[in-house]
């Protein structure tokens, strides 16, 4: 594909809507069989970003007919108290999924808590058993996999982006995105390189990629010179920027962004410089790309967990 063709926008909002509409019938089917999929969300403290995410998760459950409940312990809650809460949710039959919103306060033992969720109810796919199953290449319909990377794969598949035999470069090595998306791309027969803050010659490596997944949390980190014309660009970053100089670096030519920046004093930019999108054959916008899929995949995992526990 040449750089002169107009890149395709991978519309996460539209794909998420498609996934959610499929889930409506799966939830109806579950109810017909005598159960309602149920999600419990634990939100510790009052982190505004986390509150927003959790609210959106609970709202989406209601839209799809999934039962949900929220547990909101105070910031000062102890690891032991949280372990007791997780234990009680593990034991309740009407709860199919348990989601512990991250980050947790520094005094809480996050790893211990994530391992306390029984793997059958681990709709975030963070338990070592599920991480191991993913790495082992277990069939996707039998694994609860982390939602953001699962959403990326769903988006690539539904958009008919070829993966098998392609060179994929993942930038970022987090347990939530970088490592699991690398495993999923390997399982789909891509040739995968994972880059991170210590990688030498990173631009050179990224230039080899047919598919770039950027998940490092640095605004506009992937610049046009790092992109092979015709590559598919997947942008996982959601970085809020308020500095006018930084804003102008990315959006000097975008009247609509300028208007909203002037009004709100901030905007979001991904980990990929928007100027790089023009070189791609397809890209995920920010906002409205990958972010839109995460909640849809959480719903999908909840419905899947409910069915798997009963099969
Ligand atoms: N915080 C940021 N991303 C996530 C996620 O995917 N799951 C949870 N539980 N917390 C998060």
């Amino acid at each position: 594909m040449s750089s002169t063709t107009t890149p395709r926008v991978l519309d996460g909002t539209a794909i998420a809507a498609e996934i959610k509409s499929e889930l409506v019938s799966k939830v109806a089917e579950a109810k017909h069989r005598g159960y309602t999929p149920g999600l419990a969300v634990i939100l510790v403290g009052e982190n505004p970003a986390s509150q927003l995410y959790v609210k959106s998760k609970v709202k989406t459950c209601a839209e799809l007919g999934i039962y949900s409940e929220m547990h909101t312990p105070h910031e000062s809650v102890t690891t032991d108290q949280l372990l007791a809460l997780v234990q009680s949710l593990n034991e309740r039959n009407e709860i199919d999924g348990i989601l512990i919103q991250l980050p947790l306060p520094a005094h809480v033992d996050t790893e211990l808590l994530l391992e306390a969720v029984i793997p059958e109810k681990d709709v975030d796919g963070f338990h070592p058993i599920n991480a191991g199953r993913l790495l082992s290449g277990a069939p996707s319909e039998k694994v609860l996999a982390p939602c953001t990377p699962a959403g990326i794969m769903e988006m690539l598949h539904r958009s008919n982006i070829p993966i098998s035999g392609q060179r994929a470069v993942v930038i970022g090595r987090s347990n939530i995105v970088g490592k699991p998306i690398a495993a999923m791309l390997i399982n789909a027969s891509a040739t995968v390189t994972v880059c991170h803050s210590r990688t030498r010659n990173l631009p050179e490596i990224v230039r080899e990629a047919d598919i770039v997944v950027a998940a490092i949390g640095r605004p506009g980190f992937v610049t046009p010179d790092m992109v092979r014309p015709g590559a598919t660009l997947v942008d996982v970053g959601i970085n809020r920027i308020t500095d006018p100089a930084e804003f102008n670096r990315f959006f000097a030519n975008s009247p609509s962004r300028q208007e909203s920046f002037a009004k709100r004093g901030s905007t979001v930019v991904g980990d990929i410089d928007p100027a790089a999108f023009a070189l791609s054959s397809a890209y995920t916008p920010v906002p409205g790309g990958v972010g839109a899929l995460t909640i849809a995949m959480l719903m999908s995992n909840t419905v899947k967990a409910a069915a798997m526990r009963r099969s």
Side-chain angles (χ1 to χ4, degrees):
M1 220 163 296
S2 98
S3 58
T4 53
T5 53
T6 306
R8 185 151 61 110
V9 180
L10 304 176
D11 184 343
T13 308
I15 297 172
E18 196 176 288
I19 294 169
K20 285 188 277 186
S21 87
E22 291 162 14
L23 287 172
V24 168
S25 32
K26 285 196 180 169
V27 172
E29 205 177 295
K31 288 182 179 171
H32 189 68
R33 290 186 184 174
Y35 68 92
T36 299
L39 175 69
V41 180
I42 302 174
L43 170 63
V44 179
E46 297 186 352
N47 176 326
S50 292
Q51 283 174 328
L52 217 61
Y53 286 135
V54 162
K55 206 172 137 193
S56 182
K57 289 167 184 177
V58 168
K59 183 169 159 256
T60 311
C61 282
E63 279 164 24
L64 303 187
I66 294 172
Y67 168 76
S68 75
E69 59 183 44
M70 227 167 102
H71 298 263
T72 55
H74 188 263
E75 181 85 30
S76 63
V77 71
T78 64
T79 301
D80 280 348
Q81 287 168 325
L82 287 169
L83 284 171
L85 172 58
V86 168
Q87 194 53 39
S88 72
L89 296 169
N90 279 341
E91 286 165 7
R92 283 172 51 201
N93 195 45
E94 71 275 27
I95 298 299
D96 297 292
I98 302 169
L99 180 134
I100 304 166
Q101 186 65 30
L102 301 178
L104 289 168
H107 68 271
V108 173
D109 187 336
T110 299
E111 197 178 317
L112 193 65
L113 215 54
L114 294 180
E115 291 194 25
V117 174
I118 52 171
E120 292 79 4
K121 298 190 179 187
D122 169 37
V123 284
D124 251 331
F126 292 163
H127 192 287
I129 292 263
N130 286 319
R133 283 180 184 145
L134 176 65
L135 207 58
S136 306
S140 65
E141 63 278 9
K142 293 195 175 156
V143 183
L144 294 173
C147 301
T148 300
I152 294 171
M153 294 306 286
E154 209 50 55
M155 166 120 85
L156 295 174
H157 288 316
R158 288 177 190 245
S159 309
N160 298 312
I161 307 277
I163 301 174
S164 175
Q166 300 295 101
R167 295 192 77 110
V169 172
V170 176
I171 312 174
R173 53 174 158 175
S174 70
N175 290 332
I176 297 186
V177 182
K179 286 181 205 165
I181 191 65
M184 289 173 192
L185 288 164
I186 291 170
N187 291 342
S189 303
T191 302
V192 181
T193 304
V194 180
C195 297
H196 45 76
S197 54
R198 303 283 178 90
T199 299
R200 275 187 290 120
N201 305 333
L202 183 142
E204 210 171 286
I205 297 168
V206 178
R207 265 195 297 276
E208 296 251 306
D210 300 302
I211 300 169
V212 178
V213 179
I216 27 153
R218 289 173 60 177
F221 178 81
V222 177
T223 45
D225 61 294
M226 298 186 200
V227 172
R228 195 182 61 72
T232 295
L233 301 179
V234 178
D235 194 345
V236 185
I238 301 175
N239 309 294
R240 187 156 290 281
I241 54 172
T242 52
D243 172 23
E246 196 172 31
F247 175 83
N248 280 322
R249 183 188 145 206
F250 300 123
F251 300 114
N253 298 320
S254 169
S256 62
R257 287 282 190 142
Q258 278 165 354
E259 195 178 311
S260 92
F261 188 73
K263 204 158 76 188
R264 295 178 199 178
S266 75
T267 192
V268 290
V269 65
D271 291 348
I272 301 179
D273 182 339
F277 292 147
L279 297 168
S280 71
S281 59
Y283 70 93
T284 65
V286 176
V290 173
L293 283 165
T294 301
I295 292 182
M297 296 316 292
L298 173 66
M299 301 297 117
S300 167
N301 272 353
T302 303
V303 173
K304 190 200 261 187
M308 285 199 299
R309 270 197 325 119
R310 290 167 178 83
S311 67

